[in-house]
Amino acid sequence: METDGKVLGLVGSPNREGRTNQLVAAALEGAARAGAPTELIQLADHVVAACKDCLPWVCKDNLKCIYEDEAFEYLSQKILASGALVLGTPVYWWDTSGLVKYLILKMFRVYASSAPLQGLPAFGLAIAGGTGNGLVSGLRPIYHFFQMMQMRAKEPLPATRFNFDTAVERAGKLGEEIAAMANQRLPFSNLEERLLWYDALPYLSLNRAAERRLLAAFAIQSLPSHENAAVALGLARADSLAASGKPLDSLIEVTQVYETGAKTFEGQHLKK
Ligand SMILES: Cc1cc2nc3c(=O)[nH]c(=O)nc-3n(C[C@H](O)[C@H](O)[C@H](O)COP(=O)(O)O)c2cc1C
């Protein structure tokens, strides 16, 4: 299929004006600055129906779901034609939204075998806008999708309310970078190369404790330096406890840092 060279942004939140939209829009603004045509689509306007796991499995050969699903037809054709993809999700219960999951599960079923998206440049972003928990685990289904579809994904963008302004800026930069790749698909030479590529991406292989440490670091990074220093010492203590074989004590310390950071952050935002 001919690609249209567009950087396509998909907003996976039912809230059209929310933070996912802000981040995806920022990525597309970056892409537009770099000269690429862009298009933003709200998944809320095209809700894909659940894959029914029908047998015989004809959609992998027909490249079409046998059940009528206008939303899936529309979205899958847009993705197939795109020059690059930005996929954004809100984090719900430490996970990707249902709007995104239904789309990617059906994409697997129809297209994973023929892999028409090989080498497509992409990146994913997730906004854990409440506690911030799930900022990495919410990204994983998206990167699993990119990997299974053999796309060439750039680094993921985990966003929380604590690092939101920085994340918007980073989304713009990633948008610019992806725009420069949008005219060319760069398929991997083999499975091994692809697996190593995905293993090398930041954040995705963090365990739960490391994910929580990242969140605590975001929570305190947003504080002014006079408030940040004492709290940051707590993170150093947590690291030293982990290094001395005390993971539970370490994580409890991380939680204290997080709670102090979050409380101060909330206090500041109430003042504004
Ligand atoms: C059902 C549900 C579950 C949520 N779970 C989490 C969560 O696990 N972690 C978190 O930080 N925020 C959570 N939130 C808050 C959302 O991530 C936050 O509101 C985010 O801004 C939503 O994105 P949006 O602004 O694009 O709609 C949840 C919200 C809802 C509605």
Side-chain angles (χ1 to χ4, degrees), residues 239-255:
D239 291 343
S240 110
L241 284 165
S244 56
K246 294 181 175 159
L248 181 57
D249 293 337
S250 169
L251 195 47
I252 290 170
E253 186 78 41
V254 166
T255 294

Side-chain angles (χ1 to χ4, degrees), residues 11 13-15 17-21 89-95 127-134:
V11 176
S13 170
N15 178 8
E17 304 296 329
R19 290 177 171 129
T20 315
N21 180 62
T89 185
V91 173
Y92 288 169
W93 297 109
W94 303 37
D95 203 347
I127 162 74
T131 57
N133 286 311

